[in-house]
Every structure is written in structure tokens, then in C-alpha cells.
Amino acid sequence: MARELWRFQIFMELREATCLQQQQATLAYINQSIKIMGRATVRRGVTRILSKTVLSSLLIVAAACGNSGRSVPIASDPDRSPLLSPTIAQTTAQRTAQKPPTSPSAAQPSPIPTQAPADRTNLMGMNVDFPGDYSRTRMFADAIKQSRLWQKAGSEQPATLNAKGWPTEDADITVWHGIGRMHGTYRLSFKGQAEVKINCCAGRLENLTYSAATNSTTADLVYPSQGEEGLFLGFRNTRLSASAPFNSGITDVKLMRPITEGGTQTYPPTTLFTPPFKEALRRFKVLRFMDFLASNGNIQKRWSERLTPDWYSMHQSAPGYGWQGRGGAYEYAIALCNELKTDCWLTVPVQADDDYVRQLAALIKSQLSPELKVYVEYSNELWNTAPAFSQSKQNYALAKAEVAQGKSPLNFDGETNDWYWAWRRVAKRSAEISLIFRQTFGDAAMMQRVRPVLMTQLGYADGPLYQAIHFMEGYYNNPARVSNPKPANYYLYGVGGSGYYGPKNLSSPNAAFADLTDQVKWTADLQQDANYAAAFGLKRIAYEAGPDLEGDNVNDTNRSAYRDDPRMKSGMVSAHDVWSRQGGDLKVYFTITGESPWGFVTDIWDAQNSRKNLKLQAIDVLNTRPRVPVTYGVALPATLDANQYNIPPRYVGWRPAQVKPGNWFGYTAHTTRSGIYNLKLQAIATEERSQVEVWVSGLRLGVVDVPKQGLLGGSTETKPLSVRLDAGLQGILLRGKSGAVNVSKIVVTQ
């Protein structure tokens, strides 16, 4: 009677399952029976009972799956195979072989998801400074391109300007102030005529000449000071043309720099960027223009509000903007990348509307060399609440206003924390920007030529980055929320915080270089970001990076003792290798010049000085050798404990490794060789019709069925899924599709 009851229960459980679940469940009952009764018991008398039960179960499966064209999988374990009668297995296989496929496509094997080959070089970028008059990059050959606002003659009031920013009256201008080593001979020229005077503090004009034929004035300006006094020019009795009245202004003012420090030969008027500036940047593969575009405090909303290249200067303060003003022209950023053949990283102002983004995408497509890539970032450090980062507060206000209006996806899950809304809004707007670029460039260009990125806070990945990813998974990749769900790597190319590191002890250079990166802490911070990047098939990218020489007794007067120490070169190389071992991809350093804690050289004039360019020498070393292999994560092939997941953070409160709709678990790993890897789950479903969606490094492998736990309990081993991986950082992602599944092991073989 008990025997019949057991068979009936098997029948009732199998009747509601899919064909694959029936096959898997039948084998699970058989294998579990071996564990419970033992092989000796089976041999002594239970064999007959089990054989009938097995036969009945197989007949049930055969009846339910008769039209499926699938055979019952035979256990490959020699300890399990004797339970399956060879006759039964042979008959089942013969019957399956005789059945024709139900359709032509059924006979075709599914293509194996394949990971793109990894770049083995050290990918390094550099942040470009803002184009201010006191910037020591001296980027524009024409010093006027970095000058300040025109003012009325003898006044601090703004002068009246024409459509391109030239004064329409007598005016004064601060060409530079607060920067030294500006001595040398400059070539001044402008359209119209005027009396030119140096208001303060040093310098003289020579060979002042007006040509009526070209309506142009030229002169040599000799500036002898190596100090930071500044150059202040005044233009009096201006006449726009020979027939124009006095006090009518001038146009097209240029002041071409000397070619060498203190030199007498100047750049031709057609030169845009200075060669020392370009040569220092040429060693980098990507240029990020966050500072150049004045991303911090940029309040532009409409495309017409941006600065254009025909404006006289790229350093323009304006009410409501941050300390860097309105920012430089996108066209100049693109032009620099074209000249250097480097990829371009541009930012979008926090309040920019869709038309602004669309116009920017069109500009990039038309002007950036087609072989170059563009990284697109929504503003800068939208997590940072420091006063200089007012865009963070603007994003926070926009998120609150959106939720207040109702029907916002930012609180799709009922979340009430308004800072979580703000962090999610960064992901939402980044996805919207990505879609606009997709419309402009087409699908094929996305994640190839066009690379949208979402940058967050180093050391706090479980805050802003988790909320961004949770939003993209829970909303954008959720068929219950959107009609066309897409994963995060459909919208984004890379994620992560910065790559800054600082010595554990800055009390002296010897103490600093004993542990330049505070390696234990820095490595842990890098791994947090790597967990998210790996699981969702994204690149781990750092928008800013490098040694941070700030704190203790370090200041502007003694920082050079640290920066110019010969150990800086090897220390930076070692630090970059730490980055690479944790799965780091593109690392964009900050910044090329300055006495700040981050400057690579104090002044661009020092970029060729071997005693002062140790940081640049480190980049040169890294450019000569391949990237070191990834060592972070479980080395595959391996069996992973599903309860030991890397993400999400534990505070989320999901039951460990219980996969159901709405949650996901990520596991970080690495591979040392390329090839095909096979993945299976050991799991038990607690509900009928349970399914788990399996992803590896952003590649969807498929959905596996997991049968509900039966009378004898025990886990089920799911069908194997295959993926072709390259060597490098990998991530396994389990997403709940339906039901509820308790996963115990993830088995990866090769």
C-alpha cells in the first residue's frame, strides 16, 4: 500500500511539471533513494520495489513527453547508473532517435553566447584641465582663448559685446593672472585699430603697426616677468574700421604664445593647441573633458546656452554657474581628440534637456573621427554633496520633484528614501541619454563606438551604485514594468567609482612610499565596484584616478618632495597593476598639471623634465607592457557556494540564494584561459513551475527549470548551459524568473 501511495505521489507531482522538470525529478527521486536506503539495502531486496517505481515513473515521463523528441538523461555517475536498466535506457534512446524533429529549427543547436575578446593593454586616460587664464596646461596657443571677461575701459563693469564676444567699445581685459613662467615674446593682432596699453604690471609693446589694407593691427608684446603678476591690456580710441567712429571696439584679438619658455619665436596664428600640451597627452588613450566643460555647477538646459568655438574665450564666468564658468566648446574637445587620435569622454550637464543631448550626439557623429570612440557621462559626481558640486543638489531636487508629480519609476518598489531616488535618477537619465545616442548612431555603434558610462563613489558601491543597478534591473529589465525589458549593459558600457589611492602614512616620503596605496583598503574598495561590473557585463572604469598626496603635513610647498621622488614611478606602476588584478579596465588619471594633490607635473613646461615628470614616466612604462592578469574572484572552473554571493549587499534583506522574481544574486570570478565553460545549478524549488535566468558577464545563457522538492527531498542538478569566455574578470548572475528556488551550488566546468 505504501509502495502504491509513493508511486501515486510521484505521478501527481510529475503531472504538473514540464517535460524537463519531469525527467530531472524522476532522476532526483532515484538518486535520493540510493542515499536514503544505501546500495547494500537495494541489493538485499528493495531492488524490485525501486525497479517498479522507476519503471512506472519513466512510463509517466514517456507518456507526458512523448511528443517532445527528448530522451530521459542518463546519470553519468557510475555509482548511479546501475539503477537505470540498460534495456530501458536503450529503448528510450532508440525511440527518441526514430522520431523526426518537430520543425527544421528544432534540429539546429542554439549558438553559444560568446564574450568579446578583452583588451590586453593598459587602458589609461587623462582629465583635461579647465581652460582658465591661470591653467598651467597652457592648452591654447592663443592666450586670448583663455582670457577673462571684457570690461568697460577703466571700470569693472562688463563691456558691451557683439555676437562673438568682442567689445563694441573701448575695453580692458585680464589676459592672465595668478600664473608664473609666462615670460617671453608674444604676437598681438586684432581687426581694427586702437591705442594699446599694458595696465599692469609688467611688459612692453614693440612694433605696433596698423595696416589700412587689411584693417588689422599687429605688435610684439614682451613680457619679462616669471612671477604671477599677470597681464592686463587696455584698448583705447578703438575704431572697428577706418571709417568707424572712435570708441567702436575691435574684433578677432589674438595673442600668440612663445613656442618655448621665455622664447622670442611665437606660434603661427593658425595654431590651435600648443605642442607641449599635446605631447604630454599623446601617451593617453582617452581624454576626459569634465573640467574643460565646467561640469561642476553647469546650469545649461538648452543647446543654445552652451559656449561655441567662435566665442572669443573659453573661460567665461556667468551668474549661477560654478567657479569654472560656462565651460569650453564641445567642438574644441573633439578637435583635440582628432588631432591626437585619442578617444573622447564628454559630459552632459545635469539639467540638459533631450534636445541638448540629441544635438550633442549629432555634433559628435559629424565631427569626431569615425575611428575614435566617445564615452558619454551624465554630469559629474552626482553623489557628491560638497558645495563645489551643486549639480548633485540639482539632481536630488529633480528626483524629488519627479516623485512628487506621481507615476515616477524612481520609487517603483515603494522606496521612500529620497536620496535613493536621486541615485536612481542618475541611472534613469543615463539610460535616456544612451537611448538618444542609440537613435543617432544606430544599434551597431552602441557599446562599440558609443560608450555610455555611469560613475559613482569609490568605497560606497553598496550605496549609489547598488541603487542604480537595482533600479535598472527592477524597472528597465522587468517585463512587469516595461514592454521591452533590457539589461543594464544595453544602456551602459561601464560603471564604477574613482581610482584614487593615498598613502597610509604621509608623515614623510619614506613612510608614504612604504604603502603608497593603503593597499588593503584600496583593494577592498576596488573589488566592491568590480562585483557589480562583472555580474552585469560592464567594464570597471575609473573616471578619475591616481595618487592623492593630501593630508598630514603635506601642502603646496612640500608636495613636490613626494611627487618628484624617484619611487613615485615604480609606485604608480605597481598601483596600476593592483587595479588591473581587480578587474579594472579604463583608468582615467587626474590631472595633467597643477600644484594640487593630484597634478602629474606642476607646469606643462615640466612635462619633458625627467626629474619632475615621474608620474608621466610611469604611464610610459605601462604603455610598453601588457596588462597583468585578473586574480580577483573565484578561479573558474570551480564549484561555487551559492550562499557566498558578492552582491547585492546584505542589508537588502534577501534570503541568501533564494532566487525569485524581483531579486538577483551576483558572484565574481575570473578565468585564466579562454574557451567554452558549462554551468549547472544544484537547487530545489519551493514552488511549482520555478525558473532561474542565468547570465554570465552580461551574456544571457538561458532559463533553467527547477522542479519543486518532492517526497524524498534533495536538490536537482539543472541542465548545463554553455558560454564561451575569454580570460579575465567574470560574473555570474542568477535572476528569478518564476516561482522560488533555493540554490545551493553553482557548478562551472570546462
Side-chain angles (χ1 to χ4, degrees):
M1 180 64 183
R3 194 170 59 207
E4 296 301 319
L5 180 61
W6 189 24
R7 290 166 56 191
F8 177 73
Q9 183 165 343
I10 293 174
F11 171 77
M12 293 301 292
E13 292 183 1
L14 291 178
R15 184 180 65 175
E16 297 299 323
T18 66
C19 176
L20 178 59
Q21 288 173 330
Q22 292 166 10
Q23 296 171 356
Q24 295 170 334
T26 300
L27 292 179
Y29 291 135
I30 297 169
N31 295 331
Q32 186 67 16
S33 298
I34 296 174
K35 296 178 183 178
I36 295 174
M37 300 179 184
R39 294 182 61 84
T41 304
V42 172
R43 291 195 183 99
R44 284 198 299 269
V46 188
T47 303
R48 183 171 56 85
I49 298 174
L50 284 175
S51 296
K52 289 185 178 181
T53 303
V54 170
L55 179 59
S56 299
S57 301
L58 289 173
L59 290 174
I60 294 170
V61 172
C65 303
N67 293 325
S68 68
R70 299 177 183 173
S71 62
V72 177
I74 308 300
S76 59
D77 189 336
D79 289 337
R80 299 178 182 178
S81 57
L83 282 177
L84 287 177
S85 165
T87 304
I88 295 174
Q90 183 178 8
T91 303
T92 304
Q94 289 174 346
R95 185 179 65 223
T96 303
Q98 292 170 0
K99 292 179 67 66
T102 56
S103 66
S105 60
Q108 300 297 321
S110 300
I112 296 177
T114 299
Q115 186 177 47
D119 193 327
R120 305 297 182 199
T121 63
N122 291 297
L123 295 177
M124 296 168 292
M126 175 54 74
N127 278 270
V128 178
D129 199 7
F130 94 110
D133 61 285
Y134 51 88
S135 170
R136 296 177 182 179
T137 57
R138 311 168 195 271
M139 63 181 73
F140 287 107
D142 175 11
I144 297 297
K145 277 293 181 186
Q146 295 179 238
S147 62
R148 302 188 189 183
L149 299 175
W150 288 98
Q151 296 175 322
K152 292 180 180 294
S155 168
E156 294 184 358
Q157 296 299 313
T160 304
L161 307 177
N162 69 9
K164 295 183 179 180
W166 300 116
T168 58
E169 58 182 336
D170 290 359
D172 297 331
I173 190 170
T174 300
V175 185
W176 66 74
H177 179 63
I179 179 174
R181 301 172 69 176
M182 295 291 286
H183 56 298
T185 300
Y186 295 74
R187 184 64 172 173
L188 175 67
S189 64
F190 55 88
K191 289 291 184 180
Q193 55 184 312
E195 298 174 8
V196 184
K197 56 184 291 188
I198 298 176
N199 293 332
C200 176
C201 295
R204 66 181 184 273
L205 291 169
E206 297 177 351
N207 306 316
L208 181 65
T209 304
Y210 171 72
S211 169
T214 59
N215 186 36
S216 60
T217 300
T218 58
D220 295 321
L221 190 154
V222 180
Y223 186 80
S225 174
Q226 298 185 39
E228 299 183 353
E229 295 90 345
L231 177 66
F232 306 84
L233 295 180
F235 296 84
R236 301 291 187 271
N237 295 320
T238 57
R239 300 181 70 182
L240 189 57
S241 65
S243 60
F246 288 102
N247 197 29
S248 57
I250 54 176
T251 64
D252 299 337
V253 183
K254 288 180 178 289
L255 187 65
M256 304 308 294
R257 300 178 189 268
I259 293 176
T260 59
E261 182 178 3
T264 58
Q265 184 180 356
T266 61
Y267 291 112
T270 55
T271 305
L272 183 56
F273 301 107
T274 62
F277 172 64
K278 293 193 295 184
E279 288 305 310
L281 295 177
R282 199 178 298 277
R283 51 178 48 87
F284 298 98
K285 296 180 176 67
V286 180
L287 298 181
R288 180 174 181 256
F289 291 90
M290 179 274 296
D291 276 329
F292 181 86
L293 297 170
S295 302
N296 298 319
N298 194 316
I299 61 173
Q300 292 169 14
K301 297 180 182 179
R302 291 172 291 276
W303 186 245
S304 59
E305 296 170 354
R306 71 187 187 93
L307 214 57
T308 55
D310 57 359
W311 193 256
Y312 78 96
S313 172
M314 297 294 102
H315 180 202
Q316 295 293 288
S317 60
Y321 284 81
W323 66 274
Q324 293 173 326
R326 295 172 61 190
Y330 285 110
E331 289 87 344
Y332 283 144
I334 294 171
L336 179 60
C337 290
N338 287 342
E339 283 195 32
L340 296 178
K341 295 180 171 54
T342 58
D343 294 336
C344 190
W345 182 321
L346 301 176
T347 58
V348 177
V350 65
Q351 298 184 75
D353 60 20
D354 286 354
D355 180 68
Y356 190 113
V357 178
R358 194 170 291 109
Q359 297 283 358
L360 175 59
L363 176 69
I364 297 168
K365 186 177 181 181
S366 65
Q367 293 195 12
L368 185 66
S369 296
E371 73 276 10
L372 300 180
K373 302 171 181 63
V374 59
Y375 294 78
V376 184
E377 179 186 6
Y378 179 43
S379 191
N380 174 62
E381 292 196 3
L382 290 172
W383 50 267
N384 196 333
T385 58
F389 301 85
S390 59
Q391 67 272 17
S392 174
K393 295 178 181 178
Q394 293 166 357
N395 177 69
Y396 172 71
L398 289 168
K400 289 183 64 176
E402 179 179 324
V403 173
Q405 291 175 358
K407 298 182 179 180
S408 170
L410 299 179
N411 62 341
F412 73 98
D413 54 356
E415 180 58 63
T416 59
N417 187 315
D418 49 15
W419 273 108
Y420 288 3
W421 301 343
W423 296 337
R424 293 176 182 186
R425 188 185 177 278
V426 179
K428 176 175 177 284
R429 188 56 180 155
S430 295
E432 292 168 349
I433 291 170
S434 178
L435 289 176
I436 292 173
F437 270 78
R438 186 178 291 271
Q439 293 167 0
T440 302
F441 282 85
D443 290 339
M446 299 305 293
M447 315 310 148
Q448 299 297 321
R449 188 183 182 204
V450 180
R451 299 179 169 186
V453 294
L454 189 152
M455 301 288 96
T456 52
Q457 183 179 7
L458 181 68
Y460 193 26
D462 291 341
L465 183 52
Y466 165 70
Q467 288 299 327
I469 292 295
H470 172 62
F471 172 75
M472 300 195 84
E473 276 295 291
Y475 189 79
Y476 282 124
N477 199 23
N478 187 348
R481 301 285 181 179
V482 296
S483 59
N484 188 23
K486 297 290 185 182
N489 63 356
Y490 177 82
Y491 302 98
L492 300 174
Y493 176 79
V495 295
S498 73
Y500 285 122
Y501 50 87
K504 192 172 185 178
N505 186 342
L506 264 174
S507 60
S508 69
N510 285 338
F513 287 103
D515 187 1
L516 182 61
T517 64
D518 192 0
Q519 187 166 334
V520 173
K521 180 183 182 302
W522 190 53
T523 299
D525 290 344
L526 295 179
Q527 290 174 353
Q528 285 186 35
D529 286 349
N531 292 334
Y532 288 93
F536 292 94
L538 302 164
K539 299 293 186 182
R540 168 55 173 112
I541 293 174
Y543 62 98
E544 295 173 16
D548 185 351
L549 301 175
E550 184 174 32
D552 292 342
N553 65 335
V554 180
N555 51 51
D556 288 352
T557 59
N558 66 4
R559 189 172 287 113
S560 60
Y562 295 78
R563 185 186 55 238
D564 300 338
D565 190 292
R567 291 169 289 186
M568 178 60 75
K569 177 180 175 180
S570 59
M572 283 187 61
V573 171
S574 297
H576 195 97
D577 287 345
V578 172
W579 159 266
S580 298
R581 291 189 186 100
Q582 316 315 313
D585 190 66
L586 170 62
K587 189 177 186 183
V588 183
Y589 285 90
F590 187 92
T591 179
I592 193 68
T593 63
E595 276 290 3
S596 71
W598 312 285
F600 266 49
V601 291
T602 303
D603 195 293
I604 203 66
W605 292 128
D606 298 326
Q608 301 297 323
N609 187 329
S610 61
R611 293 182 293 105
K612 294 180 176 294
N613 65 355
L614 278 302
K615 291 184 177 181
L616 291 176
Q617 290 180 43
I619 302 301
D620 293 339
V621 170
L622 290 165
N623 277 329
T624 63
R625 62 175 180 79
R627 189 186 311 186
V628 298
V630 177
T631 58
Y632 175 51
V634 176
L636 300 180
T639 297
L640 290 74
D641 182 349
N643 290 299
Q644 301 302 312
Y645 56 91
N646 297 95
I647 53 174
R650 295 305 194 267
Y651 76 77
V652 173
W654 292 342
R655 180 178 173 181
Q658 185 180 71
V659 187
K660 56 185 180 180
N663 70 4
W664 44 265
F665 295 91
Y667 305 83
T668 307
H670 72 271
T671 49
T672 58
R673 60 181 182 271
S674 60
I676 296 177
Y677 290 78
N678 303 302
L679 184 149
K680 296 183 290 186
L681 305 180
Q682 292 179 5
I684 297 175
T686 58
E687 297 179 13
E688 303 287 358
R689 299 182 178 86
S690 294
Q691 296 179 315
V692 177
E693 191 174 30
V694 181
W695 297 69
V696 174
S697 299
L699 299 170
R700 185 179 184 274
L701 273 58
V703 175
V704 293
D705 299 303
V706 182
K708 183 181 177 183
Q709 181 177 355
L711 178 68
L712 299 178
S715 62
T716 296
E717 193 169 78
T718 64
K719 68 178 182 180
L721 299 173
S722 298
V723 60
R724 182 177 283 105
L725 299 175
D726 196 9
L729 183 69
Q730 309 295 347
I732 299 170
L733 182 69
L734 305 181
R735 299 180 72 242
K737 187 72 172 177
S738 61
V741 176
N742 293 326
V743 182
S744 58
K745 302 290 183 183
I746 304 171
V747 182
V748 181
T749 59
Q750 189 180 27

